[in-house]
Amino acid sequence: MSILIVGGGEIGRFIAEKLIQEKKAVVIIEKSERVLDEIEESLDAKFVLGNGASPRVLREAGLEKAEMVVAVTNSDEANILATIIAGMEAPQAVRIARIRNPEFDLEGETFQDAMRINLLINPEKEAASAILKVLQMPGAIDILDFFDGEIKLVGTTVLRSSPLINRPLQELDDLRDRGHFLIAAIFRGNQLIVPSGENRIMPGDTVYYVADSEYVSKGMRLLGHRGEKTGEVMIHGGTFIGMNLARSLEERGLHVKIIESDPKLCSALSRQLDHTLILNAAGTDEEVLEQENIAHMDAFVAVTKDDEDNIISALLAKRLGAPMAIALSHKSAYRQLISSIGIDVVVNPRQLANNVILQYIRRGKVLHVSNLREQAEIIEAEALETTDLVGKPLADLKLPNGTLVLSLKRGDEIIVPWGDTVIEPGDRVLLLARREEVPNIEKFITVKMEYF
C-alpha cells in the first residue's frame, strides 16, 4: 500500500519527506518536468510525470492499491477533482485535498461528503488561526486544542519571575488538585525532557503544559507571565494569511496595520478590510517601522511568502522595541535557529498540514496529532475495548519510556490522570510520546488481533 501525493511543490515535498521518515511508500505525481527533476534526487519515492487530476495518470501511479491520496497542487479545482476520482476508483483510500478558496471551505462536511473527500485542509488558514491564538495569549509561543477545545496544550518560555523555578515537579502536585494543570514537556535548548517528579524548571526553558480553558491564564502566571492584553498589531505581508489574520483581529476590536510593498495587493486589501490601516511600504525598512511606532505595538507578525524576509523584518521589529515578534517559516530546519536569535514564535503552515495527515496514518482510533519540534507527538485517541490501554491503573501499564498520559475525557468529565487512574473503553486519551516511541505507543491504542 502506498500514499499518492498529487503535486510536488513545497507542501507536497514537505509532506513526502515526513511520510518517508515514517517508512511509508510514497508516489509523487507532478505535471512539471522541471519540478520533478528538482526533487527526484532528494526523495526516496516513486515519481510519475503527468496531470494528477487525470484518471489515467492516477491509475499509472497505483491508485487502485493506494492507502491515501493527498492532493496539494496550487489548483483547488485539480485537488478536488483528483480526490473525487480517487473516491470513485479507490474507495479504500483516505482522500485529502488542499484548498485555498474560502468558497470551497464554507460548505463544510456537506461539501466533503458529496465530493467523497475525507478532509479539506487549508494550511494558510490553519497558520492564521495558530497566530491568532498566540496573539490572544501574550507570552505563549504555541497553543493547541484537544477534547474539542476543552483542554489546551500551551507552550511558553519560563521567566525568572516564575514561582515554580528550581522546584522539583513532584512538589507541584497540589496544583493539580486545584485545577487541571500538568507539565507535559520541557525543552532546554534543543533537548527534550519528558518530565518526571525529580525534574526542575529553569529560567529560559520552553515548557509545554496542559490545562483546562479556565486554568490556562493561571498557568501562564505560574510560569512568570503577567498576561497583558494585545491591542495593536502590525502585520508584514498582505498575503492570504495576513489578510485573514487582520480580518480576525478587526472582528475582535484590535487596531491593525498591514505593511505591503505591492500596490495592487494593497488595493485589494483595502477592499477586503474595513478598519485596518494599509501601508504601501517595505516591512524591512527601518525608517518605515519607526515612523509607524513599532515600539508601541503589542506584536509584529511577518507573514510574507519569503522566509528570509520574514526573519529579517521580525528581528528588526524586535530591535526597534516590539515586545513580541512572530515569523512565518516554511522550513522546519529554521525553527530552532529562529528561536535562538530572539524571534518569539515561529509558525510553519506545512507542519500544520502534516499534523492533519498524521492523524490518518497513525494506527488505532486517533482523533488528533500534533508535532512538538520534531521530537515528540501529542496524540489524542479513543481507548478501544481490548487495547492494552484499558483496564489497568496507569502505574501498571508499562508504557514506553518517554511517554505520558496527559489527560482523559470520560463523557462530559475531564479527568486529571494519576498513577491509580484506570482508562475505560470509550475514554478519550491525550498522550505525549517521544518521536522514536510512537510506533510502540501505537501498539497500546490498536485493537489486538485476538479480538477478531
Side-chain angles (χ1 to χ4, degrees), residues 238 260-272 278 280:
E260 171 55 52
S261 59
D262 184 344
K264 291 183 179 179
L265 199 48
C266 287
S267 179
L269 289 167
S270 66
R271 294 191 296 270
Q272 296 282 336
I278 313 296
N280 183 206

Side-chain angles (χ1 to χ4, degrees), residues 352-427:
L352 295 172
N354 190 62
N355 287 344
V356 175
I357 292 167
L358 282 177
Q359 170 187 334
Y360 289 89
I361 291 174
R362 292 284 168 258
R363 295 162 57 201
K365 193 170 183 180
V366 173
L367 307 173
H368 190 97
V369 175
S370 287
N371 195 292
L372 291 188
R373 297 192 177 190
E374 304 289 329
Q375 296 191 46
E377 282 187 15
I378 307 294
I379 301 172
E380 178 185 341
E382 181 178 331
L384 301 175
E385 191 177 0
T386 82
T387 62
D388 289 332
L389 207 56
V390 302
K392 294 181 181 179
L394 294 182
D396 297 336
L397 279 184
K398 297 181 180 179
L399 291 169
N401 290 331
T403 301
L404 289 178
V405 177
L406 304 176
S407 186
L408 303 177
K409 183 176 181 182
R410 182 172 298 154
D412 294 329
E413 181 186 7
I414 302 295
I415 300 172
V416 181
W418 295 90
D420 59 355
T421 301
V422 177
I423 298 172
E424 298 179 1
D427 287 352

Side-chain angles (χ1 to χ4, degrees), residues 103-173:
E103 292 184 8
F104 293 125
D105 203 18
L106 290 175
E107 302 297 331
E109 293 184 3
T110 302
F111 177 81
Q112 291 178 215
D113 291 343
M115 296 296 103
R116 302 188 182 189
I117 299 172
N118 294 93
L119 184 68
L120 295 170
I121 57 173
N122 187 330
E124 291 83 4
K125 182 180 177 181
E126 294 295 325
S129 177
I131 294 170
L132 180 63
K133 286 179 183 178
V134 297
L135 287 174
Q136 292 177 297
M137 182 63 63
I141 61 172
D142 205 357
I143 302 177
L144 303 170
D145 290 328
F146 298 95
F147 299 166
D148 303 318
E150 294 183 58
I151 286 291
K152 296 184 185 296
L153 180 77
V154 182
T156 188
T157 301
V158 181
L159 303 183
R160 292 188 177 277
S161 55
S162 168
L164 308 186
I165 284 176
N166 208 24
R167 291 176 57 189
L169 296 184
Q170 59 197 9
E171 292 184 5
L172 310 183
D173 281 345

Side-chain angles (χ1 to χ4, degrees), residues 86-101:
M88 296 168 60
E89 300 201 7
Q92 82 286 348
V94 173
R95 300 168 297 281
I96 299 174
R98 175 202 181 187
I99 60 165
R100 299 186 68 184
N101 189 335

Side-chain angles (χ1 to χ4, degrees), residues 249-409:
L249 294 172
E250 277 187 351
E251 293 170 354
R252 288 161 175 78
L254 277 70
H255 299 288
V256 185
K257 297 179 181 180
I258 292 183
I259 299 179
E260 171 55 52
S261 59
D262 184 344
K264 291 183 179 179
L265 199 48
C266 287
S267 179
L269 289 167
S270 66
R271 294 191 296 270
Q272 296 282 336
L273 301 168
D274 297 323
H275 307 294
T276 297
L277 177 62
I278 313 296
L279 302 167
N280 183 206
T284 53
D285 188 322
E286 181 174 347
E287 185 176 344
V288 169
L289 295 181
E290 287 182 324
Q291 287 176 351
E292 295 303 323
N293 296 316
I294 184 62
H296 294 92
M297 292 285 160
D298 295 306
F300 178 89
V301 184
V303 290
T304 74
K305 294 181 179 180
D306 187 300
D307 283 10
E308 287 74 18
D309 204 38
N310 293 336
I311 295 169
I312 291 169
S313 62
L315 284 174
L316 181 58
K318 286 287 285 188
R319 186 172 68 81
L320 295 175
M324 183 180 193
I326 300 172
L328 190 75
S329 174
H330 296 85
K331 300 174 182 176
S332 298
Y334 277 7
R335 178 168 190 138
Q336 184 63 26
L337 171 64
I338 295 171
S339 299
S340 68
I341 59 180
I343 296 175
D344 300 288
V345 181
V346 184
V347 176
N348 186 334
R350 300 175 193 171
Q351 184 62 65
L352 295 172
N354 190 62
N355 287 344
V356 175
I357 292 167
L358 282 177
Q359 170 187 334
Y360 289 89
I361 291 174
R362 292 284 168 258
R363 295 162 57 201
K365 193 170 183 180
V366 173
L367 307 173
H368 190 97
V369 175
S370 287
N371 195 292
L372 291 188
R373 297 192 177 190
E374 304 289 329
Q375 296 191 46
E377 282 187 15
I378 307 294
I379 301 172
E380 178 185 341
E382 181 178 331
L384 301 175
E385 191 177 0
T386 82
T387 62
D388 289 332
L389 207 56
V390 302
K392 294 181 181 179
L394 294 182
D396 297 336
L397 279 184
K398 297 181 180 179
L399 291 169
N401 290 331
T403 301
L404 289 178
V405 177
L406 304 176
S407 186
L408 303 177
K409 183 176 181 182

Side-chain angles (χ1 to χ4, degrees), residues 41 84 133 187 240 281 306 323 406 427 433 449:
E41 293 185 3
I84 289 173
K133 286 179 183 178
F187 286 92
F240 180 91
D306 187 300
L406 304 176
D427 287 352
M449 289 301 295

